Structures are given as C-alpha cells and as structure tokens.
Amino acid sequence: MPLLTIEDVSVSYGKVDAVRSVSLQVEEGQIVTVIGPNGAGKTTLMLATIGLLRSFGRMTFMGEDLSRLSVEDRIEKGLCLVPEKRELFAEMSVRDNLLLGAYTRYNRATINNELEAVYERFPRLKQRHKQDAGTLSGGERQMLALGRALMTKPKLLVLDEPSLGLAPLIVREIFHTVASLRELGVSVLLVEQNARAALETADVGYVLETGEIVQSGEASSLIHDPRLMAAYLGGH
C-alpha cells in the first residue's frame, strides 16, 4: 500500500481550475518530486494535501481517507508541510521554534532527545539556539523549518520550494539533507522549481503544467529526457 495516494484530485479558486484530475503516489521510503513552471499548481496541490485547501477527488494516507481529517489530525498522523515561506516565529528563539514542532507530545526526555538529534543534523542551529529566528540567514531559516518539521516525527514530509531564494552552495546542502531523510525512514514529497536538483535527489518525478500531470517516471530517466532538458534543465 502506498504511503500517500492522490487520485483524480482537482482544486479550484472560484471558477479557475488550478489543479485538474491529478494522480500520484508516494511509497514508503521514497522521495517523489513534482516539478514544473511557476503557476503550474504545485503549491496548490501541496496545500490541498495537508488540508489547507479544499479539493475534489480522493486522497489517502496510510490507507486512511484524508477528507475526514483536519489539518491538525493529518499532522498527528505523520503528514507535515514545510511551506515555501517557512512560516517561522521571527521573535522566538531557534530552540523555541523547534520545540513547537513537538507540541503534540509531552515526554520531556523524548523531546530533548529529538532536539539533540536535530542539532546533530544541523549543527548551525545548535550554535544559534538562543538567537531569534528572524536574525538567521536564508539557509539557516530553511534548516530551522526542516528541523521543526522533523520534531513532529513525520512519516511524510511535504516540502514546498525548499531552495527558493538560497545561494547555490546552500541549495546543495539542503538537498543533501533531504536525501539523507531516507535514513530516518521519512518519505518526502518535494515541490521544486529547481528541476535538476529535485530530479537528482528524487526517486520518482512528476511534471505539472497548467494544473495537469503531463509526464512522470523514474527521476533518473526524466533528467535525461530531451524535452525536459530543454524546458527545465537548461538544455544540458
């Protein structure tokens, strides 16, 4: 059974169909990416998956119908979104932002262990644990957003444009971290405009254009597809 199944899902803004009859799935332990141009409907699809937008069609998570679950219930089940704008609490410390990710649990020792695990994965967050989140660099803010998401103990992490606005060196570091999440048993659904980095990291890719899936397959095959190379990968 796939971890996440999206079946014939559509999302509309008024009379505008932003996503039309999209189907995809994420298997346990997989990194699946959705690539496509700006305005294709990628973020809309992710917001619908977490429950922030109303959708039509069928979505299941670990076999359970998501339409019956609130956003909070989806998070408790292990579905977690890291939004494009990171949505950190700028005037709270790095440590307090991380602890917010563990808001559904009460075992102090377990929470502290998970905090240390995040610090081990992101040493810069440990160095800056007392700093306000608003004083961090763009790369550090993305690390903090990822770390806070990991504190929820997700089974599936939905990442919306994690490379947005970051320098190339930091982008490589972020994608290396995303790839390493397999070691934790965390599956990833990754929405990304940086098609090359996304396909180099993912197992499976879907191409979304004007709200519809126009191509899909193993990421290693898609990255060598001439049409995709011309459209998204700079032609080389």
Side-chain angles (χ1 to χ4, degrees), residues 4-147:
L4 174 72
T5 300
I6 293 175
E7 222 173 346
D8 203 25
V9 164
S10 298
V11 185
S12 299
Y13 295 106
K15 295 182 179 179
V16 178
D17 295 329
V19 171
R20 292 188 297 279
S21 300
V22 165
S23 296
L24 62 81
Q25 62 184 37
V26 182
E27 303 282 350
E28 205 164 325
Q30 266 189 339
I31 297 177
V32 173
T33 188
V34 179
I35 62 172
N38 205 7
K42 303 187 303 296
T43 293
T44 296
L45 181 61
M46 297 306 100
L47 293 175
T49 301
I50 199 67
L52 289 169
L53 286 177
R54 187 184 181 196
S55 63
F56 299 91
R58 187 166 182 264
M59 292 190 193
T60 62
F61 183 62
M62 297 191 297
E64 187 169 1
D65 185 355
L66 282 179
S67 68
R68 302 178 182 181
L69 300 179
S70 67
V71 175
E72 293 77 14
D73 289 339
R74 295 180 200 208
I75 293 169
E76 286 197 33
K77 293 282 183 184
L79 185 58
C80 184
L81 171 70
V82 179
E84 178 185 316
K85 295 181 180 177
R86 285 125 204 184
E87 306 295 352
L88 302 173
F89 291 90
E91 295 179 2
M92 292 174 61
S93 71
V94 166
R95 183 178 185 275
D96 286 344
N97 268 274
L98 289 172
L99 290 175
L100 283 174
Y103 76 98
T104 61
R105 296 194 309 285
Y106 303 97
N107 186 308
R108 179 59 57 185
T110 300
I111 292 171
N112 286 338
N113 287 339
E114 288 166 4
L115 190 61
E116 286 305 315
V118 168
Y119 286 152
E120 188 174 337
R121 189 166 291 272
F122 301 108
R124 269 179 281 181
L125 296 185
K126 185 167 188 175
Q127 293 167 10
R128 292 159 173 71
H129 72 280
K130 292 183 179 179
Q131 276 185 230
D132 287 350
T135 67
L136 300 179
S137 69
E140 290 163 349
R141 287 197 295 272
Q142 185 58 270
M143 291 174 193
L144 179 54
L146 281 168

Side-chain angles (χ1 to χ4, degrees), residues 143-158:
M143 291 174 193
L144 179 54
L146 281 168
R148 184 179 62 185
L150 291 176
M151 291 291 291
T152 72
K153 299 298 287 180
K155 294 181 176 67
L156 176 63
L157 200 55
V158 179

